[in-house]
Amino acid sequence: RVSGRSKQIDDLTLQFDQDCRSLVINPEVFTVHDVTGVFKRFLRALPHSLLTTELHSKFTSLGGLEHNDKMYAVFELLKRLPKENRNSLLAICQHLSKVSQLESQNKMGVGNLALVFGPNIRGSGSSSQPVSDKFLLSETEKEVNLMHLLIEHYEWLFDVENDSERMRKVEEAKKKMKEAQELEKKKTWSRVESNEFLITIFIDDKHGEPITMKVSITTTARQAFDSCVCKKGLTTDNLALYEVLGNNECERVVHPDEQILVVVSSWTNKNNYLSIKVNSLVRRICDFQAWKTDRVSLYQKDKTRWRKYIYWVNGEWLFSQKEGKSFFKDGPQTTKLDFVLFIGLLQSDISKNPPSKWGFWLQRSSYDTNRFLCADTEHEMYKFIACFLRAKYPNGAESLTYSPKCDSTLPGKRKQYPESNRQRTSFPNNTSLTSEIC
């Protein structure tokens, strides 16, 4: 029961008051006794008892009951506490119980802990009338006895055993969901040998038979694309390999140098697929290839709504700033240009409908850093995409073009047919793509 140092307690209390969420306690400056002193001061400074003004006296008046009767009485009173008070008291008792388990090291058993923290739960305003020292001593004894009971039997009193059972079931459900997701992945790509996998690639969309091929962990998108082109005998140069998410809600052209297994192994939605189809992206943004740092007004999805931001790209950096804010006073947000850009939005990711149909999003490996964006017009959307791709890739959108060829090093190699014997591009149950190519 070593007390903390007064100055350190004052300093640490001030730091907590200023910004408790981001505070990092320096162990070279503050000891555990200083931290405990701050915590006790916090409890004493509460305007009302942690047990509430209404119930405090009911809790402390149970001393004359038999043990079992007292346990049931405290159990029922705890259920009457406001949720915030009950959760706070539970957290305190859980922590103090853990501290008491190290009594051989810290000399703080349940009795000592109850003696230190019991009187502090009454707060500073539990009694508005002057009280005698004798009454205060009596109340302190009752609070210590109550705290001893709470620490020693908190699992039963707070029904933690049932809470633990619920948490166990939640964890089991999470495990089953993860196993189901892994099973869905295997339907898209499955292991063949120790260094090979099977993946499926569709032509245009999911209508028709997909191409199944073996790939290794080093197989690139270009290699997979070229192998499919050779298998189908496609002749057009205006195709690309796309990653399509959800129910055809959004898509992107996969960069030719990306490893194909890295793409498919990140999926959790069974509807995602790979597709070879017309590379319309390059054609749509070719008029903007000269744009580099032009600013574009976009909507960005924040926690509760879509807000207007100004976006621009400079070098390897992406800049954004709320519309109407001062550049010099507020400054823009800056982040590395290490996103992958999808055109379209997944309905599962947006709680509110976007302001227009020209939505797209920037994906990172960490979901929390994804950005969901929307433009007022198609023109504005593709202008930003052109700037983004030019900054991300040396040749801009041209880096996303594929040159069909057959290569002896490709997985799933097929014989290269003479030009006169090769088939014209055709897509089952779909004439729009054929007509666009022709």
Coordinates of all heavy atoms in Angstrom, one line a residue, residues 17-96:
D17 N -6.9 14.5 -18.0 CA -8.0 15.5 -18.2 C -7.9 16.1 -19.6 O -8.9 16.4 -20.3 CB -8.0 16.6 -17.2 CG -8.4 16.0 -15.8 OD1 -9.0 15.0 -15.8 OD2 -8.1 16.7 -14.8
Q18 N -6.6 16.3 -20.1 CA -6.4 16.9 -21.4 C -6.7 16.0 -22.6 O -7.4 16.4 -23.5 CB -5.0 17.5 -21.5 CG -4.8 18.7 -20.6 CD -3.3 19.1 -20.6 OE1 -2.4 18.4 -21.0 NE2 -3.1 20.3 -20.1
D19 N -6.2 14.8 -22.5 CA -6.4 13.8 -23.6 C -6.2 12.4 -23.2 O -5.1 11.8 -23.3 CB -5.5 14.2 -24.8 CG -5.8 13.4 -26.0 OD1 -6.7 12.6 -26.0 OD2 -5.0 13.5 -27.0
C20 N -7.2 11.8 -22.5 CA -7.0 10.5 -21.9 C -6.9 9.4 -23.0 O -6.3 8.4 -22.7 CB -8.2 10.2 -21.0 SG -9.8 10.2 -21.8
R21 N -7.5 9.6 -24.2 CA -7.5 8.5 -25.1 C -6.1 8.2 -25.8 O -5.8 7.1 -26.1 CB -8.5 8.8 -26.2 CG -10.0 8.8 -25.7 CD -11.0 8.9 -26.9 NE -12.3 8.9 -26.4 CZ -13.0 7.8 -26.1 NH1 -12.5 6.6 -26.3 NH2 -14.3 7.8 -25.7
S22 N -5.4 9.3 -26.0 CA -4.1 9.1 -26.7 C -2.9 9.2 -25.7 O -1.8 9.1 -26.1 CB -3.9 10.2 -27.7 OG -3.9 11.5 -27.2
L23 N -3.2 9.2 -24.4 CA -2.1 9.3 -23.4 C -1.3 8.0 -23.3 O -1.9 7.0 -23.2 CB -2.7 9.7 -22.0 CG -1.7 9.7 -20.8 CD1 -0.7 10.8 -21.0 CD2 -2.5 9.9 -19.5
V24 N 0.0 8.2 -23.3 CA 0.9 7.0 -23.1 C 1.7 7.3 -21.9 O 2.4 8.3 -21.8 CB 1.8 6.8 -24.3 CG1 2.8 5.7 -24.1 CG2 1.0 6.6 -25.6
I25 N 1.6 6.5 -20.9 CA 2.2 6.7 -19.6 C 3.7 6.3 -19.7 O 4.0 5.1 -20.0 CB 1.5 5.9 -18.5 CG1 0.1 6.4 -18.3 CG2 2.3 6.1 -17.1 CD1 -0.8 5.6 -17.3
N26 N 4.6 7.2 -19.4 CA 6.0 6.9 -19.4 C 6.4 6.2 -18.1 O 6.4 6.9 -17.1 CB 6.8 8.2 -19.6 CG 8.3 7.9 -19.9 OD1 8.8 6.9 -19.6 ND2 9.0 9.0 -20.3
P27 N 6.8 5.0 -18.1 CA 7.2 4.3 -16.9 C 8.5 4.8 -16.2 O 8.7 4.5 -15.1 CB 7.4 2.8 -17.3 CG 7.7 2.9 -18.8 CD 7.0 4.1 -19.3
E28 N 9.3 5.6 -17.0 CA 10.5 6.2 -16.4 C 10.1 7.4 -15.6 O 11.0 7.9 -14.8 CB 11.4 6.6 -17.5 CG 12.0 5.3 -18.3 CD 13.0 5.7 -19.4 OE1 13.2 7.0 -19.5 OE2 13.5 4.8 -20.1
V29 N 8.9 8.0 -15.8 CA 8.5 9.2 -15.1 C 7.5 8.8 -14.0 O 7.5 9.4 -12.9 CB 7.9 10.2 -16.1 CG1 7.4 11.5 -15.3 CG2 8.9 10.6 -17.1
F30 N 6.6 7.9 -14.3 CA 5.5 7.6 -13.4 C 5.6 6.1 -13.0 O 5.8 5.3 -13.8 CB 4.1 7.9 -14.1 CG 3.9 9.3 -14.5 CD1 4.0 9.6 -15.9 CD2 3.7 10.3 -13.6 CE1 3.8 10.9 -16.3 CE2 3.5 11.6 -14.1 CZ 3.6 11.9 -15.4
T31 N 5.3 5.9 -11.7 CA 5.3 4.5 -11.1 C 3.9 4.0 -11.1 O 2.9 4.8 -11.2 CB 5.9 4.5 -9.7 OG1 5.1 5.2 -8.8 CG2 7.3 5.2 -9.7
V32 N 3.8 2.7 -10.8 CA 2.5 2.1 -10.7 C 1.7 2.7 -9.5 O 0.5 2.9 -9.5 CB 2.6 0.6 -10.5 CG1 3.3 0.2 -9.2 CG2 1.2 -0.1 -10.6
H33 N 2.4 3.2 -8.5 CA 1.8 3.8 -7.3 C 1.2 5.2 -7.7 O 0.2 5.6 -7.2 CB 2.8 4.0 -6.2 CG 3.6 2.7 -5.9 ND1 2.9 1.6 -5.4 CD2 4.9 2.4 -6.0 CE1 3.8 0.6 -5.2 NE2 5.0 1.1 -5.6
D34 N 1.9 5.9 -8.6 CA 1.4 7.2 -9.1 C 0.0 7.0 -9.9 O -0.9 7.7 -9.7 CB 2.4 7.9 -10.0 CG 3.7 8.2 -9.3 OD1 3.6 8.4 -8.1 OD2 4.7 8.1 -10.0
V35 N 0.1 5.9 -10.7 CA -1.2 5.6 -11.5 C -2.3 5.2 -10.6 O -3.4 5.7 -10.8 CB -0.9 4.5 -12.5 CG1 -2.1 4.1 -13.3 CG2 0.3 4.9 -13.5
T36 N -2.0 4.4 -9.6 CA -3.0 4.0 -8.6 C -3.6 5.3 -7.9 O -4.8 5.4 -7.6 CB -2.5 3.0 -7.6 OG1 -1.9 1.9 -8.3 CG2 -3.5 2.6 -6.6
G37 N -2.7 6.2 -7.6 CA -3.1 7.4 -6.9 C -4.1 8.2 -7.8 O -5.1 8.8 -7.3
V38 N -3.8 8.3 -9.1 CA -4.7 9.0 -10.0 C -6.1 8.3 -10.0 O -7.1 9.0 -10.0 CB -4.1 9.0 -11.4 CG1 -5.1 9.6 -12.4 CG2 -2.8 9.9 -11.4
F39 N -6.0 7.0 -10.1 CA -7.3 6.2 -10.1 C -8.1 6.5 -8.9 O -9.4 6.7 -9.0 CB -7.0 4.8 -10.4 CG -8.2 3.9 -10.5 CD1 -9.2 4.3 -11.4 CD2 -8.4 2.7 -9.8 CE1 -10.4 3.5 -11.5 CE2 -9.5 1.9 -9.9 CZ -10.5 2.3 -10.8
K40 N -7.5 6.4 -7.7 CA -8.3 6.6 -6.5 C -8.8 8.0 -6.4 O -9.9 8.3 -6.0 CB -7.3 6.3 -5.3 CG -7.0 4.9 -5.1 CD -6.3 4.6 -3.7 CE -4.9 5.2 -3.7 NZ -4.3 4.9 -2.4
R41 N -8.0 9.0 -6.9 CA -8.5 10.4 -6.9 C -9.7 10.5 -7.8 O -10.6 11.3 -7.5 CB -7.3 11.3 -7.4 CG -7.7 12.8 -7.5 CD -6.6 13.7 -7.9 NE -5.5 13.7 -6.9 CZ -4.5 14.5 -7.1 NH1 -4.3 15.3 -8.2 NH2 -3.5 14.5 -6.2
F42 N -9.6 9.8 -9.0 CA -10.8 9.9 -9.9 C -12.0 9.4 -9.3 O -13.1 10.0 -9.4 CB -10.4 9.0 -11.2 CG -11.6 8.7 -12.0 CD1 -12.2 9.7 -12.8 CD2 -12.2 7.5 -12.0 CE1 -13.3 9.4 -13.6 CE2 -13.3 7.2 -12.7 CZ -13.9 8.1 -13.6
L43 N -11.9 8.2 -8.5 CA -13.1 7.7 -7.9 C -13.6 8.6 -6.8 O -14.9 8.8 -6.7 CB -12.8 6.3 -7.3 CG -12.5 5.2 -8.3 CD1 -12.0 3.9 -7.5 CD2 -13.7 4.9 -9.1
R44 N -12.7 9.2 -6.0 CA -13.2 10.1 -5.0 C -13.8 11.4 -5.5 O -14.6 12.0 -4.8 CB -12.0 10.5 -4.1 CG -11.5 9.4 -3.2 CD -10.6 9.9 -2.1 NE -9.4 10.5 -2.6 CZ -8.2 9.8 -2.8 NH1 -8.1 8.6 -2.5 NH2 -7.1 10.5 -3.3
A45 N -13.4 11.8 -6.7 CA -13.9 13.0 -7.3 C -15.2 12.8 -8.0 O -15.9 13.8 -8.4 CB -12.9 13.6 -8.3
L46 N -15.7 11.6 -8.1 CA -17.0 11.4 -8.8 C -18.1 12.1 -8.0 O -18.1 12.1 -6.7 CB -17.4 9.9 -8.8 CG -16.5 9.1 -9.8 CD1 -16.9 7.6 -9.7 CD2 -16.7 9.5 -11.2
P47 N -19.0 12.8 -8.7 CA -20.0 13.6 -7.9 C -21.0 12.7 -7.1 O -21.6 13.2 -6.2 CB -20.8 14.4 -9.0 CG -20.5 13.6 -10.3 CD -19.1 13.0 -10.1
H48 N -21.2 11.5 -7.6 CA -22.0 10.5 -6.9 C -21.4 9.2 -6.7 O -20.4 8.9 -7.4 CB -23.3 10.4 -7.7 CG -24.1 11.6 -7.9 ND1 -24.8 12.3 -6.9 CD2 -24.2 12.4 -9.1 CE1 -25.3 13.4 -7.4 NE2 -25.0 13.5 -8.7
S49 N -21.9 8.4 -5.8 CA -21.3 7.1 -5.5 C -21.4 6.2 -6.8 O -22.3 6.4 -7.6 CB -22.1 6.4 -4.4 OG -21.7 5.1 -4.3
L50 N -20.4 5.4 -7.0 CA -20.4 4.5 -8.1 C -21.6 3.5 -7.9 O -22.1 2.9 -8.9 CB -19.1 3.7 -8.1 CG -18.7 3.0 -9.5 CD1 -18.7 3.9 -10.6 CD2 -17.4 2.2 -9.3
L51 N -22.1 3.3 -6.7 CA -23.2 2.5 -6.4 C -24.5 3.3 -6.5 O -25.6 2.7 -6.3 CB -23.1 1.9 -5.0 CG -21.8 1.1 -4.7 CD1 -21.8 0.7 -3.3 CD2 -21.8 -0.1 -5.6
T52 N -24.4 4.5 -6.9 CA -25.5 5.5 -7.0 C -26.0 6.0 -5.7 O -25.9 5.2 -4.7 CB -26.8 5.0 -7.8 OG1 -27.4 4.1 -7.1 CG2 -26.3 4.4 -9.2
T53 N -26.4 7.2 -5.6 CA -26.9 7.8 -4.3 C -28.1 7.0 -3.8 O -28.2 6.8 -2.6 CB -27.3 9.3 -4.5 OG1 -26.2 10.0 -5.1 CG2 -27.7 9.9 -3.2
E54 N -28.9 6.5 -4.7 CA -30.1 5.8 -4.2 C -29.8 4.5 -3.6 O -30.4 4.1 -2.6 CB -31.1 5.6 -5.5 CG -32.3 4.8 -5.2 CD -33.1 4.4 -6.4 OE1 -32.6 4.8 -7.5 OE2 -34.1 3.7 -6.3
L55 N -28.8 3.8 -4.2 CA -28.6 2.4 -3.8 C -27.4 2.2 -2.8 O -27.2 1.1 -2.3 CB -28.4 1.5 -5.0 CG -29.5 1.4 -6.0 CD1 -29.1 0.5 -7.2 CD2 -30.8 0.8 -5.3
H56 N -26.6 3.3 -2.7 CA -25.4 3.1 -1.9 C -25.7 2.6 -0.5 O -25.1 1.7 0.0 CB -24.7 4.5 -1.8 CG -23.3 4.4 -1.1 ND1 -22.2 4.2 -1.8 CD2 -23.0 4.4 0.2 CE1 -21.1 4.2 -1.0 NE2 -21.6 4.3 0.3
S57 N -26.7 3.2 0.2 CA -27.0 2.8 1.6 C -27.6 1.4 1.6 O -27.4 0.7 2.6 CB -28.0 3.8 2.2 OG -29.2 3.8 1.5
K58 N -28.3 1.0 0.6 CA -28.8 -0.4 0.5 C -27.7 -1.4 0.4 O -27.8 -2.5 1.0 CB -29.8 -0.5 -0.7 CG -31.1 0.3 -0.5 CD -32.0 0.0 -1.7 CE -33.4 0.6 -1.5 NZ -33.4 2.1 -1.3
F59 N -26.7 -1.1 -0.4 CA -25.5 -2.0 -0.5 C -24.8 -2.1 0.9 O -24.4 -3.2 1.2 CB -24.5 -1.4 -1.5 CG -24.8 -1.9 -2.9 CD1 -25.4 -1.0 -3.8 CD2 -24.5 -3.1 -3.4 CE1 -25.6 -1.4 -5.1 CE2 -24.7 -3.5 -4.7 CZ -25.3 -2.7 -5.6
T60 N -24.6 -1.0 1.6 CA -23.8 -1.0 2.8 C -24.6 -1.5 4.0 O -24.0 -1.6 5.1 CB -23.2 0.4 3.0 OG1 -24.3 1.3 3.1 CG2 -22.2 0.7 1.9
S61 N -25.9 -1.7 3.9 CA -26.7 -2.1 5.0 C -27.0 -3.6 5.1 O -27.9 -4.0 5.8 CB -28.1 -1.3 5.0 OG -28.8 -1.7 3.8
L62 N -26.2 -4.4 4.3 CA -26.4 -5.8 4.3 C -25.5 -6.6 5.2 O -25.5 -7.8 5.2 CB -26.2 -6.3 2.8 CG -27.1 -5.6 1.7 CD1 -26.6 -6.1 0.4 CD2 -28.5 -5.9 2.0
G63 N -24.8 -5.9 6.1 CA -23.8 -6.5 6.9 C -24.3 -7.6 7.8 O -23.6 -8.5 8.2
G64 N -25.6 -7.4 8.3 CA -26.1 -8.3 9.3 C -26.7 -9.6 8.7 O -27.1 -10.5 9.4
L65 N -26.7 -9.7 7.4 CA -27.3 -10.9 6.7 C -26.3 -12.1 6.7 O -25.1 -11.9 6.8 CB -27.7 -10.6 5.3 CG -28.8 -9.5 5.1 CD1 -29.0 -9.3 3.6 CD2 -30.1 -9.9 5.8
E66 N -26.9 -13.3 6.6 CA -26.0 -14.5 6.4 C -25.4 -14.4 5.1 O -25.8 -13.7 4.2 CB -26.9 -15.7 6.5 CG -27.5 -16.0 7.9 CD -26.4 -16.4 8.9 OE1 -25.3 -16.9 8.5 OE2 -26.6 -16.1 10.1
H67 N -24.3 -15.1 4.9 CA -23.5 -15.0 3.7 C -24.3 -15.2 2.4 O -24.2 -14.4 1.5 CB -22.3 -16.0 3.7 CG -21.5 -15.9 2.5 ND1 -20.6 -14.9 2.2 CD2 -21.4 -16.8 1.4 CE1 -20.0 -15.2 1.0 NE2 -20.5 -16.3 0.5
N68 N -25.1 -16.3 2.4 CA -25.8 -16.6 1.2 C -26.9 -15.6 0.9 O -27.1 -15.2 -0.2 CB -26.5 -18.0 1.3 CG -25.5 -19.1 1.2 OD1 -24.3 -18.9 0.9 ND2 -25.9 -20.4 1.6
D69 N -27.6 -15.1 2.0 CA -28.6 -14.1 1.8 C -27.9 -12.8 1.3 O -28.5 -12.1 0.4 CB -29.3 -13.8 3.1 CG -30.1 -15.0 3.6 OD1 -30.5 -15.8 2.7 OD2 -30.4 -15.1 4.8
K70 N -26.8 -12.5 1.8 CA -26.0 -11.3 1.4 C -25.7 -11.4 -0.1 O -25.8 -10.4 -0.8 CB -24.8 -11.1 2.3 CG -24.1 -9.7 2.0 CD -22.7 -9.7 2.7 CE -22.9 -9.8 4.2 NZ -21.6 -9.7 4.9
M71 N -25.2 -12.5 -0.5 CA -24.8 -12.7 -1.9 C -26.0 -12.5 -2.8 O -25.8 -11.8 -3.8 CB -24.2 -14.1 -2.1 CG -22.9 -14.4 -1.4 SD -21.5 -13.7 -2.3 CE -21.4 -14.9 -3.7
Y72 N -27.1 -13.0 -2.5 CA -28.3 -12.9 -3.4 C -28.8 -11.4 -3.3 O -29.2 -10.9 -4.4 CB -29.4 -13.8 -2.9 CG -29.2 -15.2 -3.4 CD1 -28.8 -16.2 -2.6 CD2 -29.5 -15.5 -4.8 CE1 -28.7 -17.5 -3.0 CE2 -29.3 -16.8 -5.3 CZ -28.9 -17.8 -4.4 OH -28.7 -19.1 -4.9
A73 N -28.7 -10.8 -2.2 CA -29.1 -9.4 -2.1 C -28.2 -8.5 -3.0 O -28.7 -7.6 -3.7 CB -29.1 -8.9 -0.6
V74 N -26.9 -8.7 -2.9 CA -26.0 -7.9 -3.7 C -26.2 -8.2 -5.2 O -26.2 -7.3 -6.0 CB -24.5 -8.2 -3.3 CG1 -23.5 -7.5 -4.2 CG2 -24.2 -7.7 -1.9
F75 N -26.4 -9.4 -5.5 CA -26.7 -9.8 -6.9 C -27.9 -9.0 -7.5 O -27.8 -8.5 -8.6 CB -26.9 -11.3 -6.9 CG -27.2 -11.8 -8.3 CD1 -26.2 -12.2 -9.2 CD2 -28.6 -12.0 -8.7 CE1 -26.5 -12.6 -10.5 CE2 -28.9 -12.5 -10.0 CZ -27.9 -12.8 -10.9
E76 N -28.9 -9.0 -6.7 CA -30.1 -8.3 -7.2 C -29.9 -6.7 -7.2 O -30.4 -6.1 -8.2 CB -31.3 -8.6 -6.2 CG -31.8 -10.0 -6.3 CD -32.3 -10.4 -7.7 OE1 -32.9 -9.5 -8.4 OE2 -32.1 -11.6 -8.1
L77 N -29.2 -6.2 -6.3 CA -28.9 -4.7 -6.3 C -28.0 -4.4 -7.5 O -28.2 -3.3 -8.1 CB -28.2 -4.3 -5.0 CG -29.1 -4.3 -3.7 CD1 -28.3 -4.0 -2.5 CD2 -30.2 -3.2 -3.9
L78 N -27.1 -5.2 -7.8 CA -26.2 -4.9 -9.0 C -27.0 -4.8 -10.3 O -26.6 -4.1 -11.2 CB -25.1 -6.0 -9.1 CG -24.0 -6.0 -8.0 CD1 -23.1 -7.2 -8.1 CD2 -23.1 -4.7 -8.2
K79 N -28.0 -5.6 -10.4 CA -28.8 -5.6 -11.6 C -29.6 -4.3 -11.7 O -30.0 -3.9 -12.8 CB -29.8 -6.8 -11.6 CG -29.1 -8.1 -11.8 CD -30.1 -9.2 -12.2 CE -31.1 -9.5 -11.1 NZ -32.0 -10.7 -11.4
R80 N -29.8 -3.6 -10.6 CA -30.5 -2.3 -10.6 C -29.6 -1.1 -10.9 O -30.1 0.0 -11.2 CB -31.2 -2.1 -9.3 CG -32.3 -3.1 -9.0 CD -32.8 -3.0 -7.5 NE -33.3 -1.6 -7.2 CZ -33.8 -1.2 -6.0 NH1 -33.8 -2.1 -5.0 NH2 -34.2 0.0 -5.9
L81 N -28.3 -1.3 -11.0 CA -27.4 -0.2 -11.3 C -27.5 0.2 -12.8 O -27.8 -0.7 -13.6 CB -26.0 -0.6 -11.0 CG -25.5 -0.8 -9.6 CD1 -24.1 -1.3 -9.5 CD2 -25.6 0.6 -8.8
P82 N -27.3 1.5 -13.1 CA -27.2 1.9 -14.5 C -26.1 1.1 -15.2 O -25.1 0.7 -14.6 CB -26.9 3.4 -14.4 CG -27.4 3.8 -13.1 CD -27.2 2.6 -12.2
K83 N -26.3 0.9 -16.5 CA -25.3 0.1 -17.2 C -23.9 0.6 -17.1 O -22.9 -0.2 -16.9 CB -25.7 0.1 -18.7 CG -24.8 -0.8 -19.6 CD -25.3 -0.7 -21.0 CE -24.3 -1.5 -21.9 NZ -24.8 -1.5 -23.4
E84 N -23.7 1.9 -17.2 CA -22.4 2.5 -17.1 C -21.7 2.2 -15.7 O -20.5 1.9 -15.6 CB -22.4 4.0 -17.3 CG -22.8 4.4 -18.7 CD -24.3 4.3 -19.0 OE1 -25.0 4.1 -18.0 OE2 -24.8 4.5 -20.1
N85 N -22.5 2.4 -14.6 CA -22.0 2.2 -13.3 C -21.7 0.7 -13.1 O -20.6 0.3 -12.5 CB -23.0 2.6 -12.2 CG -23.3 4.1 -12.3 OD1 -23.6 4.6 -13.3 ND2 -23.2 4.7 -11.1
R86 N -22.6 -0.2 -13.6 CA -22.3 -1.6 -13.4 C -21.1 -2.1 -14.1 O -20.3 -2.8 -13.6 CB -23.6 -2.4 -13.9 CG -23.5 -3.9 -13.5 CD -24.8 -4.6 -14.0 NE -24.9 -5.9 -13.5 CZ -24.3 -7.0 -14.1 NH1 -23.6 -6.8 -15.1 NH2 -24.4 -8.2 -13.5
N87 N -20.9 -1.6 -15.4 CA -19.8 -2.0 -16.2 C -18.5 -1.5 -15.6 O -17.4 -2.2 -15.6 CB -19.9 -1.6 -17.6 CG -21.0 -2.3 -18.4 OD1 -21.4 -3.4 -17.9 ND2 -21.4 -1.8 -19.5
S88 N -18.5 -0.3 -15.0 CA -17.3 0.3 -14.4 C -16.9 -0.5 -13.2 O -15.8 -0.8 -12.9 CB -17.6 1.8 -14.1 OG -17.8 2.5 -15.2
L89 N -17.9 -0.8 -12.3 CA -17.7 -1.5 -11.1 C -17.1 -2.9 -11.4 O -16.2 -3.4 -10.7 CB -18.9 -1.6 -10.3 CG -18.8 -2.2 -8.9 CD1 -17.8 -1.4 -8.0 CD2 -20.2 -2.2 -8.2
L90 N -17.7 -3.6 -12.4 CA -17.2 -4.9 -12.8 C -15.8 -4.8 -13.3 O -14.9 -5.7 -12.9 CB -18.1 -5.4 -14.0 CG -17.6 -6.7 -14.7 CD1 -17.4 -7.8 -13.7 CD2 -18.5 -7.1 -15.8
A91 N -15.4 -3.8 -14.1 CA -14.0 -3.7 -14.6 C -13.1 -3.5 -13.4 O -12.0 -4.1 -13.4 CB -13.9 -2.5 -15.6
I92 N -13.5 -2.7 -12.4 CA -12.6 -2.5 -11.3 C -12.4 -3.8 -10.5 O -11.3 -4.2 -10.1 CB -13.2 -1.4 -10.4 CG1 -13.2 -0.1 -11.1 CG2 -12.5 -1.3 -9.0 CD1 -14.0 1.0 -10.3
C93 N -13.5 -4.5 -10.3 CA -13.4 -5.8 -9.5 C -12.6 -6.8 -10.2 O -11.9 -7.6 -9.6 CB -14.8 -6.3 -9.2 SG -15.7 -5.2 -8.1
Q94 N -12.8 -6.9 -11.5 CA -12.0 -7.9 -12.3 C -10.5 -7.6 -12.2 O -9.7 -8.5 -12.0 CB -12.4 -7.8 -13.8 CG -13.7 -8.5 -14.1 CD -14.1 -8.4 -15.6 OE1 -14.0 -7.4 -16.2 NE2 -14.5 -9.6 -16.2
H95 N -10.2 -6.3 -12.3 CA -8.8 -5.9 -12.3 C -8.2 -6.2 -10.9 O -7.1 -6.8 -10.8 CB -8.6 -4.5 -12.6 CG -7.2 -4.0 -12.5 ND1 -6.2 -4.4 -13.3 CD2 -6.6 -3.1 -11.6 CE1 -5.1 -3.8 -13.0 NE2 -5.3 -3.1 -11.9
L96 N -8.9 -5.8 -9.8 CA -8.4 -6.0 -8.5 C -8.3 -7.5 -8.1 O -7.4 -7.9 -7.4 CB -9.3 -5.3 -7.5 CG -9.4 -3.8 -7.6 CD1 -10.3 -3.2 -6.5 CD2 -8.0 -3.2 -7.5

